[in-house]
Amino acid sequence: MTLEAKNLTFRYPRRGTGPVLEGVSLTLRAGERVGLSAPSGRGKTTLCRLLAGWETPQAGQVLLDGAPLPRRGFCPVQLLWQHPEEAADPLLKLRTTLYEAGPVDPAVLEGLGVRDSWLERYPSELSGGELQRVCIARTLRPGLRFLLCDEASAMLDLVTQARLWRFLLDYGARKNLGLLVVSHNAALLERVCTRVLAWEDIAAPRRT
Amino acid sequence: MTGNRRRSTLFLLILAGGLLLALALAGGLLDDRALTTDFSRKNLPPCPAYLFGTDWMGRDMLARTLTGLSLSLRVGALTAAASAAIALVLGTASAAFGGWVDALVSWLIHLVMGVPHILLIILVSLACGRGFWGVTAGVTLTHWPALARLVRGEVLQLKGAPWLRMSRRLGAPRGKILRNHILPHLLPQFLTGLILQFPHAILHEAGVTFLGFGLPPEQPAIGVILEESMSYLTTGRWWLALFPGLALVLVVVLFALAGERLRLLLSPASAQE
């Protein structure tokens, strides 16, 4: 399985004039853990949104094994949003959020340390770390092939971060997942990834 | 403070709902009394037997006022509910589908908003043959755009929310997304819009009827009562216009107040005050 970004160009509608991304290409293979680090505002998060199918690029393509991402149903490429409090509907109990698209493997919940009592609460009643673990749990479904972690652990304390990454690496290895880890934390990327890219490696030089 | 406001809002809502029910019942029960003419008691000023007095045909003005209000409230309830439903469907469809649906709905909104309300109501009412259904259609067809625009904006904003994109990419079915994510977020705006629609609808109904384009003169509607009483004001029969007018204002103020309180309570900007 390969996730490929080919020459992506993207601009947000009605937001400034220039494109956020221009000529960005990236290839991610199953079982690979690729780190990406770049200064703020370069478009890392936008790239993740495109790769996960949240947005459609104006030019270029996102291909999964040579075919476009499915438009309906469970998308094999999932994005872990960097603000978990925005990733869960504030008016729904977490049990609804967690199971709304289908069942979740109990072993995943246990491995992430998601307690059953959390699921009776609303998103505002959990800490960022607890919420992020629920959000991770709902993406780890059988159809998942690639997981994009956009600063997914930045809101956690170091012990929890270590535990979370150990679980994710272990889960990824078992399921042969491809991981894209976006972070400002060079030590984390060094530790977790099989290769680390800088922005210059994936984007054409900016015309200014 | 919040507890107080919550309680007073609840009180107002119950009062408005109770009044609605009581008037609807009274209208049914008093229908005969409101139409009974008795020339032995014509032109009586307010007295213990006839609290609101009687008119030039000896009809009991209290019964006429209550029946008229009941009719107005029925028109109000029907039009508010119908126009709010239209607003919800069109607003949601416009934002959810985008493209030409959005263009069409936006065009319709601007079209209806661009024409003065009262003129459009008169036209629609005339086209539908006046009467109860003419007024109802007129008021319904003119009162949905404001709420539809609000709903459209709200849905557009919801569509961009990360949790909604997340749900879609996780493969949650469309119906579930609508039920779980969209409708609960629209509920506050919808309820407030619905209740605030009420006084508008009642006033417009009375206004159109007063102008002679609404309910027929034999029906004891507030607009009809006020229109008839105009010719007797100069002869000093003040009670014919004062009490029905006052009753109409009271009902409208009550609903406006209830809606406004509900808005303050449900809007996140002021909910915590």
Short mmCIF file of all heavy atoms in Angstrom, two decimals, chain B residues 149-193:
data_model
loop_
_atom_site.label_atom_id
_atom_site.label_comp_id
_atom_site.label_asym_id
_atom_site.label_seq_id
_atom_site.Cartn_x
_atom_site.Cartn_y
_atom_site.Cartn_z
N ARG B 149 -31.85 32.18 6.43
CA ARG B 149 -30.50 32.70 6.28
C ARG B 149 -29.64 32.36 7.49
O ARG B 149 -28.47 32.00 7.37
CB ARG B 149 -30.57 34.21 6.08
CG ARG B 149 -29.55 34.71 5.10
CD ARG B 149 -29.89 36.05 4.58
NE ARG B 149 -30.04 37.02 5.65
CZ ARG B 149 -29.82 38.32 5.49
NH1 ARG B 149 -29.44 38.76 4.32
NH2 ARG B 149 -29.99 39.15 6.47
N LEU B 150 -30.26 32.46 8.66
CA LEU B 150 -29.55 32.14 9.90
C LEU B 150 -29.15 30.67 9.92
O LEU B 150 -28.00 30.32 10.22
CB LEU B 150 -30.49 32.44 11.07
CG LEU B 150 -29.85 32.61 12.43
CD1 LEU B 150 -29.13 33.94 12.46
CD2 LEU B 150 -30.89 32.54 13.52
N VAL B 151 -30.10 29.79 9.54
CA VAL B 151 -29.83 28.35 9.54
C VAL B 151 -28.73 28.03 8.53
O VAL B 151 -27.81 27.26 8.82
CB VAL B 151 -31.12 27.56 9.21
CG1 VAL B 151 -30.81 26.12 8.90
CG2 VAL B 151 -32.10 27.65 10.37
N ARG B 152 -28.80 28.68 7.36
CA ARG B 152 -27.80 28.42 6.32
C ARG B 152 -26.40 28.75 6.84
O ARG B 152 -25.47 27.97 6.70
CB ARG B 152 -28.13 29.26 5.09
CG ARG B 152 -27.11 29.13 3.99
CD ARG B 152 -27.49 29.94 2.76
NE ARG B 152 -26.39 29.99 1.83
CZ ARG B 152 -25.44 30.92 1.86
NH1 ARG B 152 -25.48 31.86 2.78
NH2 ARG B 152 -24.45 30.88 1.00
N GLY B 153 -26.26 29.93 7.45
CA GLY B 153 -24.96 30.33 7.97
C GLY B 153 -24.46 29.37 9.03
O GLY B 153 -23.28 28.98 9.05
N GLU B 154 -25.37 28.94 9.88
CA GLU B 154 -25.00 28.04 10.97
C GLU B 154 -24.51 26.71 10.42
O GLU B 154 -23.49 26.18 10.85
CB GLU B 154 -26.23 27.85 11.87
CG GLU B 154 -25.94 27.22 13.19
CD GLU B 154 -25.16 28.15 14.09
OE1 GLU B 154 -25.17 29.38 13.88
OE2 GLU B 154 -24.52 27.64 15.01
N VAL B 155 -25.23 26.17 9.42
CA VAL B 155 -24.85 24.87 8.85
C VAL B 155 -23.51 25.00 8.12
O VAL B 155 -22.66 24.11 8.20
CB VAL B 155 -25.94 24.33 7.92
CG1 VAL B 155 -25.47 23.06 7.23
CG2 VAL B 155 -27.20 24.04 8.69
N LEU B 156 -23.32 26.13 7.42
CA LEU B 156 -22.04 26.34 6.73
C LEU B 156 -20.89 26.29 7.72
O LEU B 156 -19.84 25.69 7.47
CB LEU B 156 -22.04 27.69 6.02
CG LEU B 156 -22.68 27.73 4.64
CD1 LEU B 156 -22.54 29.12 4.05
CD2 LEU B 156 -22.02 26.71 3.72
N GLN B 157 -21.10 26.94 8.86
CA GLN B 157 -20.06 26.96 9.88
C GLN B 157 -19.82 25.56 10.44
O GLN B 157 -18.69 25.14 10.63
CB GLN B 157 -20.50 27.90 10.98
CG GLN B 157 -19.36 28.40 11.84
CD GLN B 157 -19.88 29.25 12.98
OE1 GLN B 157 -21.03 29.69 12.95
NE2 GLN B 157 -19.05 29.45 13.96
N LEU B 158 -20.92 24.83 10.67
CA LEU B 158 -20.79 23.47 11.20
C LEU B 158 -20.04 22.58 10.23
O LEU B 158 -19.24 21.73 10.62
CB LEU B 158 -22.17 22.87 11.46
CG LEU B 158 -22.97 23.43 12.63
CD1 LEU B 158 -24.35 22.80 12.66
CD2 LEU B 158 -22.25 23.16 13.93
N LYS B 159 -20.30 22.79 8.92
CA LYS B 159 -19.67 21.94 7.91
C LYS B 159 -18.15 22.03 7.95
O LYS B 159 -17.45 21.09 7.62
CB LYS B 159 -20.14 22.38 6.51
CG LYS B 159 -21.15 21.45 5.90
CD LYS B 159 -21.63 22.00 4.58
CE LYS B 159 -20.70 21.66 3.45
NZ LYS B 159 -21.23 22.14 2.15
N GLY B 160 -17.63 23.20 8.35
CA GLY B 160 -16.19 23.36 8.39
C GLY B 160 -15.56 22.87 9.68
O GLY B 160 -14.33 22.80 9.77
N ALA B 161 -16.37 22.52 10.66
CA ALA B 161 -15.83 22.14 11.96
C ALA B 161 -15.05 20.83 11.86
O ALA B 161 -15.50 19.90 11.20
CB ALA B 161 -16.96 22.00 12.98
N PRO B 162 -13.87 20.74 12.48
CA PRO B 162 -13.07 19.52 12.41
C PRO B 162 -13.85 18.27 12.84
O PRO B 162 -13.73 17.24 12.20
CB PRO B 162 -11.92 19.80 13.38
CG PRO B 162 -11.77 21.27 13.39
CD PRO B 162 -13.15 21.82 13.20
N TRP B 163 -14.70 18.39 13.87
CA TRP B 163 -15.39 17.18 14.31
C TRP B 163 -16.37 16.67 13.28
O TRP B 163 -16.64 15.48 13.20
CB TRP B 163 -16.04 17.34 15.68
CG TRP B 163 -16.76 18.62 15.93
CD1 TRP B 163 -16.25 19.71 16.59
CD2 TRP B 163 -18.08 18.97 15.55
NE1 TRP B 163 -17.19 20.70 16.63
CE2 TRP B 163 -18.31 20.28 16.01
CE3 TRP B 163 -19.11 18.31 14.87
CZ2 TRP B 163 -19.51 20.95 15.82
CZ3 TRP B 163 -20.30 18.96 14.67
CH2 TRP B 163 -20.49 20.26 15.14
N LEU B 164 -16.90 17.57 12.44
CA LEU B 164 -17.81 17.11 11.40
C LEU B 164 -17.05 16.42 10.27
O LEU B 164 -17.45 15.38 9.76
CB LEU B 164 -18.63 18.27 10.86
CG LEU B 164 -19.90 17.79 10.20
CD1 LEU B 164 -20.96 17.52 11.24
CD2 LEU B 164 -20.40 18.77 9.19
N ARG B 165 -15.90 17.01 9.90
CA ARG B 165 -15.07 16.38 8.86
C ARG B 165 -14.61 15.01 9.33
O ARG B 165 -14.61 14.04 8.57
CB ARG B 165 -13.84 17.23 8.60
CG ARG B 165 -14.20 18.64 8.31
CD ARG B 165 -13.41 19.12 7.13
NE ARG B 165 -13.88 20.43 6.75
CZ ARG B 165 -13.77 20.93 5.54
NH1 ARG B 165 -13.20 20.22 4.60
NH2 ARG B 165 -14.20 22.12 5.27
N MET B 166 -14.22 14.96 10.59
CA MET B 166 -13.78 13.71 11.21
C MET B 166 -14.88 12.65 11.05
O MET B 166 -14.62 11.55 10.58
CB MET B 166 -13.59 14.05 12.69
CG MET B 166 -12.60 13.28 13.48
SD MET B 166 -10.94 13.45 12.98
CE MET B 166 -10.50 11.75 13.26
N SER B 167 -16.11 13.00 11.45
CA SER B 167 -17.21 12.04 11.38
C SER B 167 -17.43 11.56 9.95
O SER B 167 -17.66 10.38 9.71
CB SER B 167 -18.51 12.68 11.87
OG SER B 167 -18.42 12.97 13.22
N ARG B 168 -17.35 12.51 9.00
CA ARG B 168 -17.58 12.12 7.61
C ARG B 168 -16.51 11.18 7.11
O ARG B 168 -16.79 10.18 6.46
CB ARG B 168 -17.63 13.36 6.73
CG ARG B 168 -18.90 14.14 6.91
CD ARG B 168 -18.96 15.34 6.01
NE ARG B 168 -18.83 14.98 4.60
CZ ARG B 168 -18.86 15.87 3.63
NH1 ARG B 168 -18.98 17.14 3.91
NH2 ARG B 168 -18.74 15.49 2.39
N ARG B 169 -15.25 11.49 7.43
CA ARG B 169 -14.16 10.64 6.95
C ARG B 169 -14.12 9.31 7.68
O ARG B 169 -13.56 8.34 7.19
CB ARG B 169 -12.80 11.35 7.09
CG ARG B 169 -12.67 12.61 6.29
CD ARG B 169 -13.20 12.48 4.89
NE ARG B 169 -12.33 11.74 3.98
CZ ARG B 169 -12.68 11.35 2.77
NH1 ARG B 169 -13.89 11.62 2.33
NH2 ARG B 169 -11.85 10.70 2.01
N LEU B 170 -14.70 9.27 8.89
CA LEU B 170 -14.78 7.98 9.59
C LEU B 170 -15.92 7.14 9.03
O LEU B 170 -16.11 6.00 9.43
CB LEU B 170 -15.00 8.20 11.09
CG LEU B 170 -13.76 8.61 11.89
CD1 LEU B 170 -14.17 9.09 13.27
CD2 LEU B 170 -12.79 7.46 11.99
N GLY B 171 -16.71 7.73 8.13
CA GLY B 171 -17.75 6.95 7.47
C GLY B 171 -19.07 6.92 8.19
O GLY B 171 -19.87 6.03 7.95
N ALA B 172 -19.33 7.89 9.07
CA ALA B 172 -20.65 7.93 9.70
C ALA B 172 -21.69 8.22 8.62
O ALA B 172 -21.47 9.04 7.75
CB ALA B 172 -20.69 9.02 10.76
N PRO B 173 -22.85 7.52 8.66
CA PRO B 173 -23.87 7.72 7.62
C PRO B 173 -24.41 9.15 7.65
O PRO B 173 -24.45 9.78 8.70
CB PRO B 173 -24.97 6.73 8.01
CG PRO B 173 -24.41 5.87 9.07
CD PRO B 173 -23.22 6.52 9.65
N ARG B 174 -24.85 9.62 6.47
CA ARG B 174 -25.33 10.99 6.34
C ARG B 174 -26.47 11.31 7.31
O ARG B 174 -26.50 12.38 7.93
CB ARG B 174 -25.84 11.23 4.92
CG ARG B 174 -24.81 11.81 4.00
CD ARG B 174 -25.29 11.77 2.57
NE ARG B 174 -24.26 12.29 1.70
CZ ARG B 174 -24.26 13.53 1.22
NH1 ARG B 174 -25.22 14.36 1.53
NH2 ARG B 174 -23.28 13.94 0.45
N GLY B 175 -27.42 10.37 7.40
CA GLY B 175 -28.57 10.59 8.28
C GLY B 175 -28.14 10.77 9.72
O GLY B 175 -28.65 11.62 10.45
N LYS B 176 -27.16 9.98 10.13
CA LYS B 176 -26.66 10.05 11.50
C LYS B 176 -25.97 11.39 11.74
O LYS B 176 -26.12 12.00 12.80
CB LYS B 176 -25.67 8.91 11.71
CG LYS B 176 -25.79 8.26 13.07
CD LYS B 176 -24.88 7.05 13.12
CE LYS B 176 -25.21 6.17 14.29
NZ LYS B 176 -24.42 4.95 14.30
N ILE B 177 -25.22 11.84 10.74
CA ILE B 177 -24.53 13.13 10.89
C ILE B 177 -25.55 14.24 11.04
O ILE B 177 -25.43 15.10 11.92
CB ILE B 177 -23.61 13.38 9.67
CG1 ILE B 177 -22.42 12.44 9.73
CG2 ILE B 177 -23.15 14.83 9.64
CD1 ILE B 177 -21.43 12.61 8.61
N LEU B 178 -26.60 14.18 10.22
CA LEU B 178 -27.64 15.20 10.30
C LEU B 178 -28.31 15.18 11.68
O LEU B 178 -28.50 16.21 12.32
CB LEU B 178 -28.68 14.94 9.20
CG LEU B 178 -29.74 16.01 9.02
CD1 LEU B 178 -29.11 17.27 8.45
CD2 LEU B 178 -30.85 15.53 8.11
N ARG B 179 -28.63 13.98 12.14
CA ARG B 179 -29.35 13.84 13.40
C ARG B 179 -28.46 14.14 14.60
O ARG B 179 -28.86 14.83 15.53
CB ARG B 179 -29.92 12.42 13.48
CG ARG B 179 -31.13 12.29 14.36
CD ARG B 179 -31.78 10.92 14.23
NE ARG B 179 -30.85 9.84 14.50
CZ ARG B 179 -30.51 8.91 13.61
NH1 ARG B 179 -31.02 8.95 12.40
NH2 ARG B 179 -29.67 7.95 13.91
N ASN B 180 -27.25 13.60 14.57
CA ASN B 180 -26.37 13.74 15.73
C ASN B 180 -25.68 15.10 15.81
O ASN B 180 -25.50 15.64 16.88
CB ASN B 180 -25.26 12.68 15.69
CG ASN B 180 -25.74 11.35 16.20
OD1 ASN B 180 -26.83 11.25 16.74
ND2 ASN B 180 -24.93 10.33 16.00
N HIS B 181 -25.25 15.59 14.64
CA HIS B 181 -24.36 16.75 14.67
C HIS B 181 -25.03 18.05 14.25
O HIS B 181 -24.78 19.08 14.83
CB HIS B 181 -23.15 16.50 13.77
CG HIS B 181 -22.32 15.36 14.22
ND1 HIS B 181 -21.60 15.38 15.39
CD2 HIS B 181 -22.09 14.15 13.67
CE1 HIS B 181 -20.97 14.24 15.53
NE2 HIS B 181 -21.25 13.47 14.50
N ILE B 182 -25.86 17.99 13.19
CA ILE B 182 -26.39 19.24 12.65
C ILE B 182 -27.60 19.72 13.45
O ILE B 182 -27.62 20.83 13.97
CB ILE B 182 -26.77 19.08 11.17
CG1 ILE B 182 -25.61 18.46 10.39
CG2 ILE B 182 -27.23 20.40 10.59
CD1 ILE B 182 -24.72 19.39 9.69
N LEU B 183 -28.61 18.85 13.59
CA LEU B 183 -29.86 19.30 14.21
C LEU B 183 -29.68 19.77 15.66
O LEU B 183 -30.22 20.82 16.01
CB LEU B 183 -30.92 18.20 14.10
CG LEU B 183 -31.38 17.94 12.67
CD1 LEU B 183 -32.49 16.89 12.63
CD2 LEU B 183 -31.87 19.22 12.01
N PRO B 184 -28.94 19.05 16.51
CA PRO B 184 -28.79 19.56 17.88
C PRO B 184 -28.16 20.95 17.95
O PRO B 184 -28.53 21.74 18.80
CB PRO B 184 -27.87 18.52 18.54
CG PRO B 184 -28.04 17.29 17.76
CD PRO B 184 -28.29 17.73 16.35
N HIS B 185 -27.25 21.24 17.01
CA HIS B 185 -26.63 22.56 17.03
C HIS B 185 -27.58 23.64 16.50
O HIS B 185 -27.39 24.82 16.78
CB HIS B 185 -25.35 22.56 16.18
CG HIS B 185 -24.20 21.91 16.90
ND1 HIS B 185 -23.28 22.61 17.61
CD2 HIS B 185 -23.86 20.61 17.04
CE1 HIS B 185 -22.41 21.78 18.15
NE2 HIS B 185 -22.74 20.56 17.80
N LEU B 186 -28.57 23.23 15.71
CA LEU B 186 -29.51 24.21 15.16
C LEU B 186 -30.67 24.48 16.10
O LEU B 186 -31.38 25.47 15.96
CB LEU B 186 -30.07 23.70 13.82
CG LEU B 186 -29.10 23.65 12.66
CD1 LEU B 186 -29.82 23.13 11.43
CD2 LEU B 186 -28.54 25.03 12.39
N LEU B 187 -30.88 23.56 17.05
CA LEU B 187 -32.08 23.63 17.89
C LEU B 187 -32.27 24.98 18.57
O LEU B 187 -33.37 25.54 18.51
CB LEU B 187 -32.05 22.50 18.92
CG LEU B 187 -33.37 22.29 19.64
CD1 LEU B 187 -34.42 21.77 18.66
CD2 LEU B 187 -33.22 21.32 20.80
N PRO B 188 -31.24 25.56 19.22
CA PRO B 188 -31.47 26.86 19.88
C PRO B 188 -31.96 27.94 18.92
O PRO B 188 -32.96 28.60 19.18
CB PRO B 188 -30.09 27.23 20.44
CG PRO B 188 -29.34 25.97 20.50
CD PRO B 188 -29.88 25.08 19.44
N GLN B 189 -31.28 28.08 17.77
CA GLN B 189 -31.69 29.09 16.79
C GLN B 189 -33.11 28.82 16.30
O GLN B 189 -33.90 29.73 16.12
CB GLN B 189 -30.75 29.09 15.58
CG GLN B 189 -29.49 29.85 15.77
CD GLN B 189 -28.44 28.99 16.41
OE1 GLN B 189 -28.74 27.92 16.92
NE2 GLN B 189 -27.22 29.44 16.39
N PHE B 190 -33.38 27.53 16.09
CA PHE B 190 -34.68 27.17 15.54
C PHE B 190 -35.80 27.51 16.52
O PHE B 190 -36.79 28.15 16.15
CB PHE B 190 -34.70 25.68 15.20
CG PHE B 190 -35.99 25.21 14.62
CD1 PHE B 190 -36.31 25.52 13.31
CD2 PHE B 190 -36.87 24.48 15.38
CE1 PHE B 190 -37.50 25.10 12.77
CE2 PHE B 190 -38.06 24.05 14.84
CZ PHE B 190 -38.38 24.37 13.54
N LEU B 191 -35.64 27.11 17.78
CA LEU B 191 -36.68 27.37 18.79
C LEU B 191 -36.90 28.86 18.97
O LEU B 191 -38.03 29.35 18.99
CB LEU B 191 -36.27 26.75 20.13
CG LEU B 191 -36.58 25.27 20.30
CD1 LEU B 191 -36.21 24.84 21.71
CD2 LEU B 191 -38.06 25.03 20.07
N THR B 192 -35.79 29.60 19.11
CA THR B 192 -35.90 31.04 19.30
C THR B 192 -36.58 31.67 18.10
O THR B 192 -37.48 32.50 18.24
CB THR B 192 -34.51 31.65 19.48
OG1 THR B 192 -33.78 30.84 20.39
CG2 THR B 192 -34.60 33.05 20.02
N GLY B 193 -36.14 31.27 16.90
CA GLY B 193 -36.74 31.81 15.68
C GLY B 193 -38.23 31.51 15.62
O GLY B 193 -39.03 32.37 15.25
#
